[in-house]
C-alpha cells in the first residue's frame, strides 16, 4: 500500500496544476521527457494506468536511505524528521520526495550523481540556504517543488531542463533580472504567498521565459505587473491589494485564456481594458468592490465564465454580458455568478442572459447588508 500512499501525496501537491501529465508511474518507467498538455489549468486524474504494485518488480539497485521507501525509481523520504538530504540515493532515481522534514540547507553535493532525477519535492521544510551549485547535477530535472520553506530569494542556477517551478509560501521579496536566465523550457511558475510588491520585480525579471501559467496570489501587489511574459495563457493575481485596472495594464497579455483577480480591492476597470484579451475564456473578479458590471464583456467572443459575486454591483443592464444581434458570440456562457451583490434581481430583464447556455448557469441572490 505504500506506493499507493505516495501516489496520493503527489496528487495532493499537484492540485490546480495547469497541465495534464501522464500517470504518476509512467515517468518512473522511462527516462524520456513527458509530453504536456496546457489546454486546461486543473490537474487531471493522474492515476490512470497505475500498475498493480504487487505485480511490478523494482528495476534499480538495492540502495535505499534508512527509513525511506524505495520502489520503481521513486524514493519517498517524507515526514522522517530529516535535517539534511539523505545519502545513498540510487543514481537512477526519477522522483525524490523529501517533503515535511527539517532540512534547512541544500549543500553542493546533496544531489551528486542524480542525473536522472525528474521531480524533486522539498515542500514544507526549513530551507533558507541553497548552495549555488546544489542543482548542478540535476540535468534532467523538470519539476521542482520547494514551497513552504524559509527562502528569501529565488534559488540561483536552476536547471535549464526545468519545466515547472513551485516556490510559493516562502519569504521572497524580490525577483531580480536574470534570475530565470537560461530557463527556456519553463512553462509554469507558482510563486504566490510571498511578500512581493510591484517594486520587487526588476525590469526584465521574466525576460526569455515563455510561460503558460503564472500565479502570484496572496502577495502585496497593488496593480497588475506590466513586465510579465507575453506568452501567458493563465495569470492568477488573486488575494492581493489591486485597486484598479487601467487601460494598458493588460496590453501585453493578449493570449490569456484565464485571468484571476478575485479577492482584491478593485473598484474601477477602465473602459477598453478588457479589449486586449480577445481569447479570454474565464474571468474571476469576485470579492472586489466593483459597483457595476465591467464594460467590454460582450466583445469577448470566447468568454464562457465570469465570476462577479461578492461585489457592490447594484444594476445589471440588458447588454452587459451579451452582444447585440445573433451569431456574434462564438461561445455561449456556461457560468455567470452575481450572488452576494445588492442587485434587485427581479428587475433584471430575461434578455440580459440571451447568450447563456442554461438558466442554471446564472447565480443570483443571497445578498446580506
Amino acid at each position: 500500500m505504500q506506493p499507493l500512499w505516495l501516489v496520493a501525496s503527489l496528487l495532493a501537491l499537484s492540485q490546480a496544476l495547469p497541465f495534464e501529465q501522464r500517470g504518476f508511474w509512467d515517468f518512473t518507467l522511462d527516462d524520456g521527457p513527458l509530453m504536456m498538455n496546457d489546454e486546461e489549468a486543473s490537474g487531471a486524474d493522474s492515476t490512470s494506468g497505475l500498475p498493480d504494485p504487487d505485480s511490478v518488480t523494482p528495476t534499480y539497485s538495492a540502495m535505499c536511505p534508512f527509513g525511506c521507501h524505495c520502489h520503481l525509481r521513486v524514493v519517498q523520504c517524507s515526514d522522517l524528521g530529516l535535517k539534511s538530504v539523505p545519502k545513498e540515493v540510487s543514481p537512477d532515481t526519477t522522483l525524490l520526495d523529501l517533503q515535511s522534514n527539517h532540512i534547512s540547507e541544500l549543500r553542493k553535493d546533496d544531489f551528486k550523481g542524480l542525473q536522472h532525477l525528474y521531480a524533486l519535492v522539498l515542500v514544507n521544510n526549513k530551507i533558507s540556504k541553497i548552495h549555488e551549485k546544489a542543482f548542478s547535477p540535476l540535468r534532467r530535472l523538470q519539476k521542482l517543488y520547494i514551497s513552504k520553506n524559509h527562502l528569501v530569494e529565488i534559488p540561483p542556477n536552476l536547471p535549464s531542463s526545468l519545466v515547472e517551478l513551485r516556490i510559493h509560501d516562502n519569504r521572497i521579496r524580490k525577483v531580480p533580472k536574470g534570475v530565470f536566465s537560461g530557463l527556456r523550457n519553463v512553462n509554469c511558475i507558482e510563486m504566490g504567498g510571498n511578500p512581493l510588491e510591484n517594486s520587487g520585480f526588476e525590469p526584465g525579471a521574466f525576460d526569455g521565459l515563455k510561460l503558460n501559467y503564472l500565479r502570484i496570489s496572496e502577495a502585496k501587489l497593488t496593480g497588475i505587473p506590466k513586465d510579465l511574459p507575453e506568452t501567458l495563457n493563465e495569470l492568477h493575481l488573486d488575494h492581493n491589494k489591486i485597486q484598479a485596472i487601467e487601460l494598458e495594464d493588460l496590453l501585453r497579455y493578449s493570449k490569456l485564456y484565464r485571468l484571476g483577480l478575485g479577492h482584491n480591492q478593485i473598484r474601477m476597470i477602465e473602459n477598453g481594458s478588457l479589449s486586449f484579451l480577445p481569447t479570454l475564456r474565464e474571468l474571476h473578479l469576485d470579492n472586489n468592490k466593483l459597483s457595476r458590471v465591467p464594460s467590454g464583456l460582450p466583445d469577448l467572443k470566447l468568454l464562457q465564465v465570469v465570476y462577479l459575486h461578492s461585489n457592490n454591483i447594484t444594476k445589471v443592464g440588458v447588454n452587459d454580458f451579451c452582444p447585440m444581434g445573433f451569431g456574434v458570440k462564438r461561445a455561449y456562457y456556461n457560468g455567470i455568478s452575481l450572488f452576494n451583490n445588492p442587485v434587485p434581481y427581479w428587475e433584471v430583464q430575461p434578455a440580459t442572459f440571451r447568450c447563456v447556455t442554461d438558466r442554471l448557469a446564472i447565480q443570483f441572490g443571497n445578498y446580506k447588508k
Side-chain angles (χ1 to χ4, degrees):
M1 293 300 293
Q2 186 61 39
L4 293 178
W5 181 91
L6 178 57
V7 173
S9 68
L10 186 64
L11 287 176
L13 278 171
S14 303
Q15 289 295 314
L17 289 179
F19 311 107
E20 293 182 9
Q21 68 179 40
R22 293 185 299 169
F24 168 73
W25 290 93
D26 292 348
F27 71 77
T28 69
L29 298 174
D30 63 66
D31 295 325
L34 292 182
M35 294 299 293
M36 291 191 172
N37 183 345
D38 60 6
E39 291 284 325
E40 292 294 332
S42 58
D45 181 3
S46 58
T47 59
S48 59
L50 186 67
D52 180 1
D54 296 329
S55 65
V56 178
T57 304
T59 58
Y60 65 93
S61 66
M63 295 175 62
C64 188
F66 179 77
C68 301
H69 298 276
C70 305
H71 189 71
L72 284 176
R73 292 190 273 178
V74 172
V75 177
Q76 195 268 326
C77 302
S78 62
D79 298 283
L80 294 178
L82 300 176
K83 295 184 178 180
S84 61
V85 176
K87 304 298 182 183
E88 298 185 355
V89 177
S90 177
D92 62 356
T93 299
T94 54
L95 185 146
L96 178 57
D97 180 6
L98 296 169
Q99 66 178 304
S100 300
N101 281 291
H102 302 301
I103 300 171
S104 60
E105 179 181 359
L106 299 182
R107 296 167 296 192
K108 178 180 178 181
D109 295 326
D110 277 349
F111 305 111
K112 185 177 181 180
L114 300 182
Q115 65 269 21
H116 295 288
L117 199 65
Y118 167 86
L120 176 59
V121 183
L122 292 161
V123 176
N124 195 29
N125 275 278
K126 299 179 179 180
I127 300 169
S128 60
K129 184 178 180 181
I130 298 178
H131 192 278
E132 62 179 8
K133 294 185 178 181
F135 298 125
S136 295
L138 307 180
R139 299 174 183 175
R140 299 187 183 183
L141 190 72
Q142 293 193 28
K143 294 178 179 288
L144 176 58
Y145 298 167
I146 196 166
S147 305
K148 297 185 179 181
N149 278 283
H150 299 166
L151 295 175
V152 297
E153 64 180 5
I154 295 172
N157 304 317
L158 292 169
S160 60
S161 56
L162 204 63
V163 171
E164 183 178 323
L165 174 63
R166 300 203 171 243
I167 196 168
H168 56 85
D169 291 299
N170 276 280
R171 302 172 183 179
I172 298 168
R173 295 180 179 273
K174 185 177 180 180
V175 182
K177 182 177 181 179
V179 71
F180 298 121
S181 178
L183 301 182
R184 300 183 184 89
N185 299 311
V186 170
N187 55 26
C188 171
I189 294 181
E190 159 66 88
M191 57 193 309
N194 285 291
L196 283 163
E197 300 179 0
N198 286 72
S199 59
F201 297 94
E202 289 189 0
F206 294 91
D207 281 359
L209 290 183
K210 296 181 179 180
L211 295 181
N212 292 330
Y213 179 99
L214 177 62
R215 183 184 292 272
I216 316 175
S217 60
E218 299 179 86
K220 296 184 177 181
L221 301 179
T222 55
I224 295 178
K226 294 178 170 55
D227 199 22
L228 304 178
E230 297 178 348
T231 55
L232 284 172
N233 296 141
E234 291 200 33
L235 176 60
H236 297 270
L237 302 174
D238 46 292
H239 290 274
N240 275 286
K241 300 179 180 180
I242 300 171
Q243 299 181 14
I245 300 176
E246 299 179 354
L247 183 59
E248 297 185 356
D249 281 352
L250 300 170
L251 178 63
R252 290 174 56 88
Y253 312 127
S254 61
K255 297 181 181 179
L256 283 180
Y257 293 167
R258 185 175 285 127
L259 176 60
L261 290 166
H263 293 272
N264 276 281
Q265 300 172 16
I266 300 172
R267 296 177 180 272
M268 185 272 294
I269 298 177
E270 191 170 351
N271 290 347
S273 300
L274 300 178
S275 64
F276 300 113
L277 308 177
T279 62
L280 194 67
R281 289 164 169 78
E282 190 168 319
L283 177 61
H284 294 229
L285 285 165
D286 55 285
N287 290 279
N288 278 285
K289 299 181 179 181
L290 295 172
S291 59
R292 62 184 179 89
V293 176
S295 63
L297 296 183
D299 299 324
L300 300 177
K301 297 180 180 180
L302 299 176
L303 189 63
Q304 299 175 50
V305 176
V306 183
Y307 290 177
L308 289 167
H309 57 270
S310 301
N311 276 280
N312 298 321
I313 298 171
T314 57
K315 183 180 179 180
V316 178
V318 69
N319 294 318
D320 279 352
F321 294 98
C322 302
M324 291 184 286
F326 295 96
V328 180
K329 190 168 175 60
R330 293 172 56 187
Y332 276 28
Y333 290 100
N334 53 45
I336 296 177
S337 69
L338 284 161
F339 65 88
N340 200 25
N341 278 289
V343 178
Y345 57 87
W346 55 88
E347 295 181 2
V348 178
Q349 298 183 40
T352 301
F353 305 112
R354 58 190 177 273
C355 60
V356 179
T357 55
D358 188 281
R359 73 179 71 182
L360 296 178
I362 307 163
Q363 297 182 356
F364 259 133
N366 299 325
Y367 176 71
K368 295 181 180 180
K369 293 184 178 179

